[in-house]
Amino acid sequence: MLAEQRPDLTGTARTSYDSVLVAKAESPLTGMADVVKRAKDLRLAFTSRTSTSGYVMPYSRFVDEGLLKARQNPAEAFKAVAFAGSYTQALQAVLDGRAEVAAV
């Protein structure tokens, strides 16, 4: 098996990915529990369907949290779902008010 190794900020080689959900600082969302509870009212911006940290990992976490079932369309759980195309564009969707949360 092959895996990409990337150094983290401390110089340690890693093969894992980080993924975070981002909201504006003034958002009432403070954690995953808030996202799960308010999902039907939230517009979510993923980066792209092929992004590990911008789609695969957050999708898996939504399944782990019980918000989604495996292979369920996330648009069934959220008010709206968009694939922004990149991390920058997903974050910009939050800044512009087109999404309340971005997965990056």
Side-chain angles (χ1 to χ4, degrees):
M1 178 186 329
L2 298 174
E4 174 188 17
Q5 285 188 336
R6 297 169 284 106
D8 65 15
L9 294 175
T10 68
T12 303
R14 294 180 51 200
T15 58
S16 60
Y17 284 86
D18 293 319
S19 180
V20 296
L21 297 177
V22 178
K24 285 186 176 182
E26 62 270 15
S27 170
L29 302 172
T30 61
M32 182 60 81
D34 290 334
V35 173
V36 170
K37 184 170 76 172
R38 297 192 53 216
K40 282 288 186 193
D41 299 322
L42 299 176
R43 295 169 294 163
L44 172 66
F46 287 113
T47 58
S48 73
R49 286 179 173 86
T50 59
S51 173
T52 300
S53 57
Y55 179 65
V56 175
M57 297 307 293
Y59 184 98
S60 177
R61 178 72 187 271
F62 294 144
V63 171
D64 291 347
E65 294 289 333
L67 178 60
L68 296 174
K69 294 181 177 139
R71 296 179 192 79
Q72 182 181 3
N73 184 338
E76 295 175 17
F78 289 89
K79 180 178 180 179
V81 172
F83 291 91
S86 71
Y87 297 107
T88 301
Q89 291 170 313
L91 293 168
Q92 193 64 52
V94 172
L95 290 173
D96 293 346
R98 293 179 282 120
E100 284 78 32
V101 179
V104 296

